[in-house]
Amino acid sequence: TSRGPVKPPMDSGLFVGFLLLLSIAARGSSVSTPLVLWHGMGDNCCNPLSMGSIKKMVEEEVPGIYVLSLMIGKNVVQDTENSFFMDVNEQVAFACDKLGQDPKLKAGYNAMGFSQGAQFLRAVAQRCPYPPMNTLISVGGQHQGVYGLPRCPGESSYICDWIRKKLNSGAYTDAVQKHLVQAQYWHDPLNDDLYIQHSLFLADINQERVVNDTYKKNLMSLKKFVMVKFLQDSVVDPVVSEWFGFFKTGQAEKAETLQESTLYKEDRLGLAEMDKAGKLVFLASEGDHLQFSRAWFNATLLPYLR
Ligand SMILES: *[C@@H]1O[C@H](CO)[C@@H](O)[C@H](O)[C@H]1NC(C)=O
Ligand SMILES: *[C@@H]1O[C@H](CO)[C@@H](O)[C@H](O)[C@H]1NC(C)=O
């Protein structure tokens, strides 16, 4: 019997298809760094109009990525309430605990915080080095706090009106500090001493009372610290806080940049050194607080997640 040419095990088109499938599977499992999200004031982990859609968008754009949107509390109602009323230091400890227990984050993660969630995630970076945070993306965060609450995002305006009154009548009293989240990043440039002595959260993470070398070392171990400022922001006052700037002390009109601040000049947080190493990224977006398009997100923030 004559033997024909040896037949390939499969049709070559099929074979190419098989290789393609293998490479797609390999890409899917070539683990992209997980992403942790922290929502803003009056929001929650899973709102389909905010964090829910961001999570979905990232999952669509970065196949196989693990995205954890932090829920502070047991359910979305608690999570939303806690964004107004839970001691921020306790919130940060709660988040650290969650991240530490998540086996998928063991090898490290990137973090993206929205509005106040951004400064809270910076506190996570400074206080909780394990698991390691690689890149921190701050989307409209207030790293030097706020002095004013001109407008509330979303539908919580009645709560905001109430909060505004409390803040104006005594942000640095112990009762208000303990129970009002926004008081804990209230930064009154006219009463610098009060701020330094009584701000339970922001003055601590910004090294206003003592310089904690651990905070500095931990923050400096970030690969990148990306800060997005919204050019037409009508919620955050002053807007330059989104780039870690603030009012010059003693008045509330003239602002200074991070680079002009004593925090930077004394380098209490390692930011000057990070800046020189090219680790600080300052981005601007047209639009009001947290208003951006998918195309902008795609082009501007996704490269840090891939
Ligand atoms: C510095 O920060 C670390 C981490 O949060 C903390 O354990 C330590 O007590 C802090 N030290 C001071 C002097 O505040
Ligand atoms: C975002 O980028 C992806 C490709 O990575 C593309 O498929 C998608 O259409 C883009 N979306 C927008 C709105 O630009």
Side-chain angles (χ1 to χ4, degrees), residues 128-163:
C128 314
Y130 305 107
M133 189 188 290
N134 297 345
T135 288
L136 171 59
I137 302 177
S138 161
V139 185
Q142 303 102 45
H143 295 281
Q144 276 293 4
V146 295
Y147 184 52
L149 203 60
R151 199 172 64 73
C152 269
E155 295 139 27
S156 317
S157 55
Y158 62 101
I159 306 186
C160 277
D161 291 340
W162 182 83
I163 290 175

Short mmCIF file of all heavy atoms in Angstrom, two decimals, residues 128-163:
data_model
loop_
_atom_site.label_atom_id
_atom_site.label_comp_id
_atom_site.label_asym_id
_atom_site.label_seq_id
_atom_site.Cartn_x
_atom_site.Cartn_y
_atom_site.Cartn_z
N CYS A 128 -0.37 51.72 55.46
CA CYS A 128 -0.49 50.26 55.28
C CYS A 128 0.30 49.79 54.07
O CYS A 128 -0.24 49.67 52.97
CB CYS A 128 -1.95 49.88 55.12
SG CYS A 128 -3.01 50.68 56.34
N PRO A 129 1.59 49.52 54.26
CA PRO A 129 2.45 49.16 53.12
C PRO A 129 2.20 47.75 52.58
O PRO A 129 2.70 47.44 51.49
CB PRO A 129 3.86 49.28 53.69
CG PRO A 129 3.71 49.17 55.17
CD PRO A 129 2.35 49.68 55.51
N TYR A 130 1.45 46.92 53.29
CA TYR A 130 1.16 45.57 52.80
C TYR A 130 -0.34 45.36 52.71
O TYR A 130 -1.02 45.60 53.70
CB TYR A 130 1.78 44.50 53.71
CG TYR A 130 3.25 44.73 53.88
CD1 TYR A 130 3.74 45.22 55.09
CD2 TYR A 130 4.13 44.50 52.84
CE1 TYR A 130 5.10 45.46 55.25
CE2 TYR A 130 5.49 44.74 53.00
CZ TYR A 130 5.97 45.22 54.20
OH TYR A 130 7.30 45.48 54.34
N PRO A 131 -0.83 44.90 51.55
CA PRO A 131 -0.09 44.66 50.31
C PRO A 131 0.39 45.99 49.71
O PRO A 131 -0.21 47.04 49.98
CB PRO A 131 -1.13 43.99 49.41
CG PRO A 131 -2.45 44.44 49.94
CD PRO A 131 -2.27 44.64 51.40
N PRO A 132 1.43 45.96 48.88
CA PRO A 132 1.97 47.21 48.36
C PRO A 132 1.09 47.88 47.30
O PRO A 132 0.54 47.21 46.43
CB PRO A 132 3.31 46.78 47.74
CG PRO A 132 3.16 45.33 47.46
CD PRO A 132 2.21 44.78 48.47
N MET A 133 0.95 49.18 47.42
CA MET A 133 0.25 49.96 46.39
C MET A 133 1.32 50.40 45.38
O MET A 133 2.35 50.94 45.76
CB MET A 133 -0.40 51.18 47.04
CG MET A 133 -1.33 51.95 46.11
SD MET A 133 -1.90 53.54 46.84
CE MET A 133 -2.99 53.00 48.14
N ASN A 134 1.07 50.16 44.11
CA ASN A 134 2.06 50.54 43.09
C ASN A 134 1.86 51.99 42.66
O ASN A 134 2.71 52.83 42.86
CB ASN A 134 1.95 49.64 41.86
CG ASN A 134 2.26 48.19 42.19
OD1 ASN A 134 2.82 47.90 43.24
ND2 ASN A 134 1.89 47.28 41.31
N THR A 135 0.71 52.23 42.03
CA THR A 135 0.42 53.58 41.54
C THR A 135 -0.86 54.07 42.20
O THR A 135 -1.82 53.32 42.32
CB THR A 135 0.28 53.56 40.00
OG1 THR A 135 1.59 53.37 39.43
CG2 THR A 135 -0.27 54.87 39.46
N LEU A 136 -0.84 55.32 42.63
CA LEU A 136 -2.04 55.93 43.20
C LEU A 136 -2.53 57.00 42.23
O LEU A 136 -1.78 57.90 41.86
CB LEU A 136 -1.71 56.57 44.56
CG LEU A 136 -2.81 57.44 45.18
CD1 LEU A 136 -4.10 56.66 45.42
CD2 LEU A 136 -2.33 58.06 46.49
N ILE A 137 -3.78 56.87 41.83
CA ILE A 137 -4.38 57.87 40.94
C ILE A 137 -5.46 58.61 41.73
O ILE A 137 -6.42 58.01 42.20
CB ILE A 137 -4.99 57.21 39.69
CG1 ILE A 137 -3.90 56.42 38.94
CG2 ILE A 137 -5.61 58.27 38.78
CD1 ILE A 137 -4.42 55.67 37.73
N SER A 138 -5.27 59.88 41.88
CA SER A 138 -6.19 60.72 42.63
C SER A 138 -7.04 61.50 41.63
O SER A 138 -6.53 62.31 40.87
CB SER A 138 -5.36 61.68 43.50
OG SER A 138 -6.14 62.77 43.90
N VAL A 139 -8.33 61.23 41.62
CA VAL A 139 -9.24 61.89 40.67
C VAL A 139 -10.05 62.94 41.43
O VAL A 139 -11.00 62.62 42.12
CB VAL A 139 -10.16 60.85 39.97
CG1 VAL A 139 -11.01 61.53 38.90
CG2 VAL A 139 -9.35 59.71 39.38
N GLY A 140 -9.59 64.18 41.35
CA GLY A 140 -10.29 65.26 42.06
C GLY A 140 -10.17 65.16 43.57
O GLY A 140 -11.05 65.65 44.29
N GLY A 141 -9.09 64.56 44.07
CA GLY A 141 -8.88 64.47 45.53
C GLY A 141 -8.44 65.80 46.11
O GLY A 141 -8.00 66.70 45.38
N GLN A 142 -8.56 65.93 47.44
CA GLN A 142 -8.23 67.22 48.09
C GLN A 142 -7.10 66.98 49.09
O GLN A 142 -7.32 66.83 50.28
CB GLN A 142 -9.46 67.79 48.79
CG GLN A 142 -10.65 68.00 47.88
CD GLN A 142 -11.71 66.90 48.03
OE1 GLN A 142 -12.04 66.52 49.15
NE2 GLN A 142 -12.22 66.40 46.93
N HIS A 143 -5.88 67.00 48.58
CA HIS A 143 -4.75 66.58 49.41
C HIS A 143 -4.31 67.62 50.42
O HIS A 143 -3.58 67.31 51.35
CB HIS A 143 -3.59 66.11 48.52
CG HIS A 143 -3.99 64.88 47.77
ND1 HIS A 143 -4.00 63.64 48.34
CD2 HIS A 143 -4.49 64.72 46.51
CE1 HIS A 143 -4.46 62.76 47.46
NE2 HIS A 143 -4.78 63.39 46.35
N GLN A 144 -4.77 68.85 50.24
CA GLN A 144 -4.56 69.86 51.28
C GLN A 144 -5.90 70.25 51.89
O GLN A 144 -6.03 71.30 52.50
CB GLN A 144 -3.83 71.08 50.73
CG GLN A 144 -2.31 70.94 50.70
CD GLN A 144 -1.68 70.88 52.10
OE1 GLN A 144 -2.36 70.87 53.13
NE2 GLN A 144 -0.36 70.83 52.13
N GLY A 145 -6.89 69.42 51.71
CA GLY A 145 -8.20 69.68 52.31
C GLY A 145 -9.01 70.71 51.55
O GLY A 145 -8.68 71.09 50.42
N VAL A 146 -10.08 71.13 52.21
CA VAL A 146 -10.97 72.14 51.62
C VAL A 146 -11.24 73.23 52.66
O VAL A 146 -11.20 72.99 53.86
CB VAL A 146 -12.32 71.54 51.17
CG1 VAL A 146 -12.11 70.55 50.03
CG2 VAL A 146 -13.08 70.88 52.31
N TYR A 147 -11.51 74.42 52.15
CA TYR A 147 -11.97 75.50 53.02
C TYR A 147 -13.22 76.06 52.36
O TYR A 147 -13.19 77.05 51.64
CB TYR A 147 -10.89 76.58 53.16
CG TYR A 147 -11.26 77.69 54.11
CD1 TYR A 147 -11.70 77.39 55.40
CD2 TYR A 147 -11.18 79.02 53.74
CE1 TYR A 147 -12.05 78.39 56.29
CE2 TYR A 147 -11.51 80.04 54.62
CZ TYR A 147 -11.95 79.71 55.89
OH TYR A 147 -12.30 80.71 56.77
N GLY A 148 -14.30 75.32 52.57
CA GLY A 148 -15.55 75.68 51.90
C GLY A 148 -16.11 74.46 51.24
O GLY A 148 -15.39 73.52 50.91
N LEU A 149 -17.40 74.47 51.11
CA LEU A 149 -18.11 73.36 50.49
C LEU A 149 -19.16 74.03 49.60
O LEU A 149 -20.34 74.05 49.90
CB LEU A 149 -18.78 72.53 51.60
CG LEU A 149 -19.15 71.08 51.37
CD1 LEU A 149 -17.94 70.23 51.05
CD2 LEU A 149 -19.86 70.54 52.60
N PRO A 150 -18.68 74.64 48.51
CA PRO A 150 -19.57 75.49 47.72
C PRO A 150 -20.77 74.74 47.15
O PRO A 150 -21.86 75.30 47.04
CB PRO A 150 -18.68 76.04 46.62
CG PRO A 150 -17.42 75.27 46.66
CD PRO A 150 -17.31 74.62 48.00
N ARG A 151 -20.59 73.50 46.80
CA ARG A 151 -21.69 72.79 46.17
C ARG A 151 -21.47 71.31 46.45
O ARG A 151 -20.35 70.85 46.59
CB ARG A 151 -21.67 73.03 44.66
CG ARG A 151 -22.96 72.75 43.95
CD ARG A 151 -22.90 73.20 42.50
NE ARG A 151 -21.90 72.46 41.72
CZ ARG A 151 -22.05 71.20 41.35
NH1 ARG A 151 -23.13 70.52 41.63
NH2 ARG A 151 -21.10 70.59 40.65
N CYS A 152 -22.54 70.58 46.53
CA CYS A 152 -22.41 69.15 46.79
C CYS A 152 -22.55 68.37 45.49
O CYS A 152 -23.35 68.74 44.65
CB CYS A 152 -23.51 68.69 47.72
SG CYS A 152 -23.00 68.77 49.40
N PRO A 153 -21.79 67.30 45.37
CA PRO A 153 -22.02 66.46 44.20
C PRO A 153 -23.27 65.62 44.41
O PRO A 153 -23.70 65.42 45.54
CB PRO A 153 -20.78 65.58 44.18
CG PRO A 153 -20.32 65.51 45.61
CD PRO A 153 -20.77 66.78 46.27
N GLY A 154 -23.86 65.16 43.36
CA GLY A 154 -24.97 64.21 43.44
C GLY A 154 -26.22 64.78 44.07
O GLY A 154 -26.51 65.98 43.94
N GLU A 155 -26.94 63.93 44.79
CA GLU A 155 -28.27 64.29 45.27
C GLU A 155 -28.32 64.53 46.77
O GLU A 155 -29.37 64.42 47.38
CB GLU A 155 -29.25 63.17 44.91
CG GLU A 155 -29.45 62.99 43.44
CD GLU A 155 -29.51 61.51 43.07
OE1 GLU A 155 -29.90 60.70 43.91
OE2 GLU A 155 -29.15 61.19 41.92
N SER A 156 -27.19 64.83 47.38
CA SER A 156 -27.17 64.91 48.84
C SER A 156 -27.17 66.34 49.33
O SER A 156 -26.64 66.64 50.39
CB SER A 156 -25.93 64.20 49.36
OG SER A 156 -25.71 63.00 48.69
N SER A 157 -27.77 67.25 48.60
CA SER A 157 -27.60 68.66 48.91
C SER A 157 -28.17 69.03 50.29
O SER A 157 -27.63 69.90 50.95
CB SER A 157 -28.20 69.54 47.83
OG SER A 157 -29.53 69.20 47.65
N TYR A 158 -29.22 68.35 50.74
CA TYR A 158 -29.76 68.70 52.07
C TYR A 158 -28.77 68.31 53.15
O TYR A 158 -28.59 69.04 54.12
CB TYR A 158 -31.14 68.09 52.30
CG TYR A 158 -31.14 66.57 52.28
CD1 TYR A 158 -31.17 65.84 53.46
CD2 TYR A 158 -31.09 65.87 51.07
CE1 TYR A 158 -31.14 64.46 53.44
CE2 TYR A 158 -31.06 64.49 51.04
CZ TYR A 158 -31.08 63.79 52.23
OH TYR A 158 -31.05 62.42 52.22
N ILE A 159 -28.10 67.18 53.00
CA ILE A 159 -27.08 66.79 53.99
C ILE A 159 -25.93 67.80 53.94
O ILE A 159 -25.42 68.21 54.97
CB ILE A 159 -26.52 65.38 53.71
CG1 ILE A 159 -27.65 64.36 53.63
CG2 ILE A 159 -25.53 64.97 54.81
CD1 ILE A 159 -27.19 62.93 53.51
N CYS A 160 -25.58 68.21 52.73
CA CYS A 160 -24.48 69.16 52.58
C CYS A 160 -24.78 70.49 53.25
O CYS A 160 -23.90 71.09 53.86
CB CYS A 160 -24.18 69.40 51.11
SG CYS A 160 -23.13 68.14 50.44
N ASP A 161 -26.01 70.97 53.13
CA ASP A 161 -26.36 72.23 53.76
C ASP A 161 -26.15 72.14 55.27
O ASP A 161 -25.63 73.05 55.91
CB ASP A 161 -27.83 72.59 53.46
CG ASP A 161 -28.02 72.95 52.00
OD1 ASP A 161 -27.01 73.28 51.34
OD2 ASP A 161 -29.16 72.89 51.51
N TRP A 162 -26.55 71.01 55.81
CA TRP A 162 -26.41 70.78 57.24
C TRP A 162 -24.92 70.72 57.62
O TRP A 162 -24.48 71.34 58.59
CB TRP A 162 -27.13 69.47 57.60
CG TRP A 162 -27.11 69.13 59.04
CD1 TRP A 162 -27.95 69.59 60.02
CD2 TRP A 162 -26.17 68.25 59.70
NE1 TRP A 162 -27.60 69.06 61.23
CE2 TRP A 162 -26.53 68.23 61.06
CE3 TRP A 162 -25.10 67.48 59.26
CZ2 TRP A 162 -25.83 67.46 62.00
CZ3 TRP A 162 -24.40 66.71 60.19
CH2 TRP A 162 -24.77 66.71 61.54
N ILE A 163 -24.15 69.99 56.81
CA ILE A 163 -22.71 69.85 57.07
C ILE A 163 -22.01 71.20 57.01
O ILE A 163 -21.17 71.53 57.84
CB ILE A 163 -22.08 68.87 56.04
CG1 ILE A 163 -22.56 67.46 56.33
CG2 ILE A 163 -20.55 68.95 56.07
CD1 ILE A 163 -22.09 66.45 55.30
#
